[in-house]
Amino acid sequence: MEHRIVGPGPYRATKLWNETVELFRARMPLRKHRCRFKSYEHCFTAAEAVDWLHELLRCSQNFGPEVTRKQTVQLLKKFLKNHVIEDIKGKWGQEDFEDNRHLYRFPPSSPLKPYPKKPTYQKDVIKFPEWNDPPLGTSQENIPVKPVVMNSEMWYKRHSIAIGEVPACRLVHRRQLTEAHVEEIWKSMTLSYLQKILGLDSLEEVLDIKLVNSKFIMHNVYSVSKQGVVILDDKSKELPHWVLSAMKCLANWPNCSDLKQPMYLGFEKDVFKTIADYYGHLKEPLLTFHLFDAFVSVLGLLQKEKMAIEAFQICCLLLPPENRRKLQLLMRMMARICLNKEMPPLCDGFGTRTLMVQTFSRCILCSKDEVDLDELLAARLVTFLMDNYQEILKVPLALQTSIEERVAHLRRVQFQKSYPEVYRERFPTPESEALLFSEKPKPKPQLLMWALKKPFQPFQRTRSFRM
């Protein structure tokens, strides 16, 4: 039961669906069953399908061992709805699949999900400001000039230009490096880094570049606290005070300084339910609808953990600041609860880690349109986030340094073009330094003591030694 690894790229959820359907149809054991005094060939019970498919998903590197039996039942319901399977009487289309002894079989053919036609993409190269480019709406031909009275001197100048002796003069427009240019540089370089990590020809395949807001990227990089949590300018987008207090209560359990009301048996369960209800009623998941395909594509890199973390870092920079802040606080709370040995069980029948993943996966990642594997993909992503949230929600230092160096270089070029004399004084070249400062005489090397001594000479006998 080997599941082929589906790497990053467009339509990854559709590829995973088709891969799972093909494996299920090809390898699910079929045998003879009896039901109500009648025998049926080549079929299986609902419980047998759950057992086999659950093991397949848990062993797959595309989904991982965190897949629960409940999630497997939900997937089989979608199989029944999409006519991947049918009951023994040929009925399908209803999501009434249950984990029991009811008999099911495969139809003659199961429809696979079609892939959308892949459009031809061109790489979007952001053009950085050129200092000689005229502003929009102007050209050399539309520059108003005064009429000139022709004389012999003017005729000679025009004739010299015409025959090529004197180069023609052109107006040079020096453009300023504005804040809009800096924002565009941040956006283009950030998306270029992401495209390089994913190994795609174009990011248009996984996200709409027009919806990427450069102001969000810069805010997420610079407007952060000492702990790295985003600071919001608009306080109306903050978490409600009662939700933040509830999250602090569970994150610091049982030592919570904000707790002003008496506790009772099961108090922590009610607090957790309050937090889950708030996040469960968000209008949009924290990772947003338009970034769904981008995050799902990054899931194909989980076998290369370092690359996956870098890709998730960049994707999280594209989030609105309020979403990034809510995600940071939520992941911190989830991680602390899972590591807290003093925390009582928050749900009967589920471990704390499984409960965290099942409760918050859909409020973190889900698709606007129905995607058949979005629950499994969300659980896979949240599991990876919980294990690496401190690294993923950091600002990628290499990207920040590269962009800041690029902006500093452009500002230096702008200053050099605008004030060449001042630039030469502040940033002298080796040639200008040689003209300003005369060459200092080189110091002579110090004489060493051994250099003063005569070289070794062999012993010679004199007359006094003769016999």
Side-chain angles (χ1 to χ4, degrees):
M1 279 192 311
E2 295 181 359
H3 213 141
R4 182 177 59 88
I5 298 176
V6 180
Y11 323 124
R12 185 171 184 270
T14 304
K15 293 177 183 177
L16 286 173
W17 169 271
N18 290 343
E19 179 80 9
T20 306
V21 168
E22 289 177 347
L23 283 176
F24 184 54
R25 282 182 57 89
R27 302 185 182 181
M28 174 65 200
L30 306 177
R31 62 187 181 90
K32 181 179 179 180
H33 288 81
R34 290 183 61 85
C35 180
R36 296 180 181 180
F37 308 104
K38 189 174 181 180
S39 297
Y40 297 93
E41 299 283 348
H42 307 294
C43 58
F44 51 87
T45 66
E48 291 172 347
V50 175
D51 291 338
W52 191 91
L53 186 58
H54 185 214
E55 185 65 19
L56 173 70
L57 297 175
R58 291 182 73 253
C59 295
S60 170
Q61 296 188 41
N62 294 313
F63 302 105
E66 302 289 339
V67 178
T68 63
R69 192 174 182 88
K70 181 180 178 182
Q71 289 176 327
T72 307
V73 172
Q74 294 296 324
L75 179 57
L76 284 166
K77 287 184 177 182
K78 295 181 179 181
F79 279 1
L80 182 60
K81 181 179 179 180
N82 289 274
H83 204 196
V84 176
I85 60 176
E86 62 185 16
D87 73 357
I88 205 65
K89 297 181 180 179
K91 295 181 180 179
W92 61 278
Q94 301 293 328
E95 293 188 6
D96 55 357
F97 184 93
E98 296 181 2
D99 191 355
N100 53 24
R101 301 293 301 174
H102 195 76
L103 294 180
Y104 291 90
R105 67 187 181 191
F106 291 118
S109 62
S110 293
L112 299 178
K113 298 287 184 180
Y115 297 109
K117 291 184 178 180
K118 183 178 178 180
T120 56
Y121 295 107
Q122 295 182 353
K123 293 185 178 180
D124 295 329
V125 180
I126 303 299
K127 183 181 179 181
F128 296 113
E130 296 288 346
W131 310 115
N132 295 336
D133 287 348
L136 294 176
T138 62
S139 64
Q140 296 287 338
E141 290 77 10
N142 298 331
I143 300 176
V145 294
K146 295 181 180 181
V148 180
V149 179
M150 183 64 64
N151 53 32
S152 59
E153 183 179 359
M154 291 299 301
W155 181 90
Y156 176 76
K157 288 183 178 179
R158 292 193 176 186
H159 177 70
S160 300
I161 293 174
I163 64 177
E165 293 181 357
V166 180
C169 297
R170 295 177 59 86
L171 293 179
V172 177
H173 299 271
R174 290 176 180 168
R175 298 181 62 180
Q176 299 295 319
L177 185 64
T178 63
E179 187 65 24
H181 292 143
V182 176
E183 292 175 359
E184 199 64 28
I185 293 171
W186 270 93
K187 176 179 176 179
S188 64
M189 293 189 67
T190 301
L191 295 179
S192 296
Y193 265 63
L194 179 60
Q195 180 177 336
K196 181 179 179 180
I197 294 175
L198 295 179
L200 301 177
D201 294 333
S202 174
L203 284 180
E204 293 282 356
E205 300 174 345
V206 295
L207 62 87
D208 189 350
I209 296 179
K210 296 179 182 178
L211 298 179
V212 175
N213 193 325
S214 56
K215 295 182 183 295
F216 291 169
I217 301 174
M218 298 182 67
H219 188 103
N220 292 332
V221 170
Y222 294 113
S223 299
V224 295
S225 65
K226 293 181 179 180
Q227 292 75 27
V229 180
V230 174
I231 300 174
L232 300 181
D233 297 330
D234 187 357
K235 301 303 180 183
S236 63
K237 297 181 179 180
E238 287 273 11
L239 280 170
H241 177 71
W242 53 273
V243 176
L244 192 58
S245 298
M247 295 176 69
K248 288 182 179 180
C249 175
L250 291 185
N252 301 315
W253 185 273
N255 304 317
C256 183
S257 59
D258 292 348
L259 192 60
K260 298 180 180 179
Q261 55 187 9
M263 292 191 297
Y264 51 85
L265 186 63
F267 175 78
E268 68 282 351
K269 295 182 180 180
D270 291 341
V271 175
F272 179 76
K273 186 176 183 300
T274 300
I275 300 170
D277 287 343
Y278 170 78
Y279 276 94
H281 287 85
L282 294 176
K283 296 181 180 179
E284 187 179 26
L286 295 179
L287 301 184
T288 70
F289 287 132
H290 86 273
L291 290 176
F292 174 82
D293 290 329
F295 279 99
V296 170
S297 184
V298 176
L299 286 175
L301 293 173
L302 292 191
Q303 290 74 32
K304 304 175 182 178
E305 184 174 319
K306 185 177 179 181
M307 292 182 62
I309 290 176
E310 292 178 359
F312 278 129
Q313 282 180 336
I314 298 177
C315 286
C316 289
L317 282 183
L318 309 182
L319 296 174
E322 58 271 18
N323 288 40
R324 183 177 171 90
R325 176 176 173 81
K326 291 176 182 177
L327 179 65
Q328 288 174 319
L329 297 176
L330 177 61
M331 296 310 302
R332 179 179 296 183
M333 182 203 73
M334 293 168 61
R336 289 186 178 181
I337 291 177
C338 292
L339 296 175
N340 190 353
K341 297 181 180 179
E342 299 183 18
M343 175 66 68
L346 297 175
C347 180
D348 299 332
F350 282 102
T352 303
R353 181 182 174 89
T354 303
L355 177 65
M356 295 294 118
V357 174
Q358 298 301 315
T359 303
F360 296 108
S361 59
R362 284 196 61 82
C363 73
I364 293 177
L365 178 72
C366 72
S367 174
K368 188 174 183 180
D369 303 321
E370 183 181 359
V371 177
D372 296 305
L373 294 175
D374 57 351
E375 295 177 0
L376 295 174
L377 296 173
R380 180 69 165 150
L381 181 140
V382 172
T383 301
F384 189 78
L385 273 178
M386 288 179 61
D387 295 334
N388 303 278
Y389 80 97
Q390 291 182 335
E391 289 294 325
I392 290 175
L393 295 177
K394 280 183 180 179
V395 176
L397 184 60
L399 173 64
Q400 181 181 355
T401 303
S402 177
I403 297 176
E404 288 176 349
E405 289 178 353
R406 173 66 179 173
V407 173
H409 170 72
L410 291 179
R411 292 192 188 280
R412 209 160 42 241
V413 172
Q414 173 187 340
F415 183 79
Q416 180 183 11
K417 296 290 185 179
S418 302
Y419 309 100
E421 296 180 358
V422 179
Y423 182 86
R424 283 196 296 269
E425 293 179 1
R426 293 187 179 181
F427 308 99
T429 61
E431 291 78 9
S432 61
E433 286 184 346
L435 294 175
L436 292 175
F437 306 102
S438 59
E439 186 176 359
K440 297 181 180 180
K442 296 182 179 180
K444 295 182 179 180
Q446 295 182 356
L447 295 177
L448 301 178
M449 295 300 296
W450 62 268
L452 298 177
K453 297 181 180 179
K454 294 182 179 180
F456 174 78
Q457 297 179 356
F459 176 76
Q460 297 179 0
R461 280 202 269 180
T462 61
R463 292 181 180 179
S464 60
F465 285 94
R466 292 179 180 175
M467 296 298 295

